[in-house]
Amino acid sequence: MGVIKQVPAIVEKFPGGGIVATSLDWVLNQSRASSVWYLLFGTACCAIELMATGASRYDFDRLGMIFRATPRQADLIIAAGTITKKMGPRLRLLYDQMAEPRYVIAMGGCTCGGGPFYYDSYAVEKGINHIVPVDVYIPGCPPRPESLLEGCITLQKKIKKQKMQDWS
Amino acid sequence: MNREELIQYLQDKFQDKIELLDTGKVEPMFLIKSRENLVSFCRAIVDDPQLSMDFLCNLAGIDTGEHFEVVYNVASIRNKTRFDFKVVMDYDGAWVESIKEIWPAANWYEREVWELFGIDVKNHGNLKRFLLPDDWDQGHPMRKNWDAPDFKRMPEF
């Protein structure tokens, strides 16, 4: 990662190097945003909407998004469904195993803030931002596939604005 | 054996151990008068060919706000009959005897009762957590008076 941080600085030293760095950013961001592979992680009813989004009617593939069953090959984790306190450490483990730069979408009311389990529940985590940093929140119970697509497009916009120096 | 015959049979046979409760439900509900009799009662209703209660449908703990209850729902697949019985106990020194030797299905239910209500299950032998996180240290969450820093009770409307 240190080299990647250094590259723009080196390029900037050359006359007109800014153009090269910006173009490199653009190419990299375009390719990353157009092939966001997401981790298979659905825990409740939202996962059904996630499956519907992946199926032919809504067709996630047109955003270049395909699911991966291993965190090492995934850029994005869509936490789709209720995350309980018992599940929290596992979610964190999966997140930690993903390669950087990595992104998190919190899909649905339960994941965003406890949802219908906000009151009178000892088991449900009231928002996964207590466990992992969240990039995009998608409200709804459960959100329709259109909402998820909108969330993913929002994430793509975010990715396209990033610079190599921002990669942690 | 229909409902009335079942009630009559149970009352005749276990008159010193159980008491019929008026719940208005289809299945008759009995109270085990003394929890020391629980295991012998369970053993008897399984072994008795007239009853042959071979299926433990459910085992659940209840906190009524005044005392604990452990409710057992049993059924006989062979005889197509079912009834419920329960044990009532105070908060202090709450325990029941394990019945997992009679119905192995009781194993996890009893662990659940122990974990969520803090009712000790004697002779269980494997009381380990499985619903709550392994490092849970906030008491027994299904108790009426349970509270925790991030627990939010539904406001009264």
Side-chain angles (χ1 to χ4, degrees), chain A residues 141-161:
Chain A
C141 186
R144 283 188 53 84
E146 292 91 336
S147 310
L148 180 55
L149 287 169
E150 169 70 23
C152 293
I153 291 166
T154 309
L155 180 68
Q156 285 183 331
K157 283 179 186 162
K158 181 174 179 173
I159 293 173
K160 283 174 186 171
K161 279 182 195 161

Side-chain angles (χ1 to χ4, degrees), chain A residues 2-18:
Chain A
V3 176
I4 290 173
K5 277 189 177 169
Q6 289 298 317
V7 168
I10 296 163
V11 175
E12 292 288 347
K13 284 180 185 167
F14 296 104

Side-chain angles (χ1 to χ4, degrees), chain A residues 85-86 118-122 126, chain B residues 130 132 141 146 150 152-154:
Chain A
K85 285 177 183 165
K86 184 148 185 163
Y118 185 77
Y119 291 115
D120 290 346
S121 169
Y122 62 89
K126 294 174 180 61
Chain B
F130 70 103
L132 297 171
W146 182 76
D150 63 340
K152 291 186 170 50
R153 204 170 284 282
M154 178 76 89

Side-chain angles (χ1 to χ4, degrees), chain A residues 56-124:
Chain A
S56 53
R57 180 179 286 252
Y58 292 96
D59 194 17
F60 234 166
D61 287 7
R62 66 186 150 144
L63 302 181
M65 301 187 65
I66 52 168
F67 68 80
R68 303 299 295 169
T70 163
R72 296 179 205 287
Q73 297 166 356
D75 313 293
L76 167 67
I77 182 166
I78 302 177
T82 317
I83 306 295
T84 60
K85 285 177 183 165
K86 184 148 185 163
M87 220 184 287
R90 274 73 173 180
L91 173 65
R92 182 71 214 189
L93 180 69
L94 286 171
Y95 178 78
D96 287 342
Q97 286 176 340
M98 285 162 64
E100 290 180 355
R102 55 199 171 189
Y103 305 95
V104 178
I105 287 183
M107 178 182 180
C110 299
T111 319
C112 293
F117 307 106
Y118 185 77
Y119 291 115
D120 290 346
S121 169
Y122 62 89
V124 176

